[in-house]
Amino acid sequence: MLYFEDIQPGTKSAFGCYEVSRKEVIEFASKYDPQPFHLDDDAAAKTYFGKVSASGWHTGAMVMRMVVENMKTNKQAGLGSPGIDELRWLKPVYPGDVLRCESEIVDKTPSRSRPDMGSFRSKITVFNQDDEPVMTMKSIGLIRKRPTEAGQRA
């Protein structure tokens, strides 16, 4: 189990493998981001995208799935997240792309009001199958401190 004390700024990790399907791109866009270039080949052909592309919000959801799958494998005493900073969609994501993530711990901060926890920031870069970055964000994670021997939180 990974606790606040185990988090080290500069630590890097790579994880995830998510194949983007056309069906999923269109289903997501139909429900949450129904712009024509996410739904229709002819409409997309007339835009910067050139063909149907995934919504940036869909890309974020795919990244979240990879993050959660990674947390199942690499257990941590996580407590959720108060948000993300500096979200950037760098390149379109298309059906058939295969996404993966690289993460680097930027910093960590003990909580001033909750001595049993702290937070850390990670820069996550998402790459396609050609190793082109398609999205970046700084994720903020909340995490428990290691329990003390008395059974209390540090």
Side-chain angles (χ1 to χ4, degrees), residues 86-90 123-126 134-138:
E86 300 178 27
L87 172 65
R88 299 288 184 265
W89 296 305
L90 306 173
K123 180 177 181 187
I124 297 176
T125 304
V126 185
V134 298
M135 189 180 107
T136 59
M137 67 179 185
K138 286 190 179 169

Side-chain angles (χ1 to χ4, degrees), residues 28 33 35 38 53-62 87 89 93 135:
F28 185 96
D33 190 357
Q35 297 182 76
H38 296 317
S53 63
S55 165
W57 299 112
H58 184 197
T59 302
M62 291 182 273
L87 172 65
W89 296 305
V93 170
M135 189 180 107

Side-chain angles (χ1 to χ4, degrees), residues 17-104:
C17 181
Y18 196 102
E19 186 169 349
V20 182
S21 78
R22 179 180 174 81
K23 179 181 178 201
E24 185 179 12
V25 166
I26 291 171
E27 285 177 355
F28 185 96
S30 295
K31 190 167 185 179
Y32 300 109
D33 190 357
Q35 297 182 76
F37 45 83
H38 296 317
L39 298 168
D40 180 77
D41 290 310
D42 292 334
K46 298 173 188 164
T47 69
Y48 155 81
F49 301 105
K51 56 186 176 181
V52 167
S53 63
S55 165
W57 299 112
H58 184 197
T59 302
M62 291 182 273
V63 170
M64 189 66 212
R65 179 60 187 235
M66 289 186 281
V67 167
V68 171
E69 291 299 321
N70 184 55
M71 288 189 308
K72 287 180 185 177
T73 304
N74 300 298
K75 304 260 188 223
Q76 60 177 259
L79 298 168
S81 172
I84 58 171
D85 293 327
E86 300 178 27
L87 172 65
R88 299 288 184 265
W89 296 305
L90 306 173
K91 289 185 73 80
V93 170
Y94 297 109
D97 282 354
V98 178
L99 305 180
R100 65 178 181 83
C101 300
E102 291 183 6
S103 177
E104 180 177 1

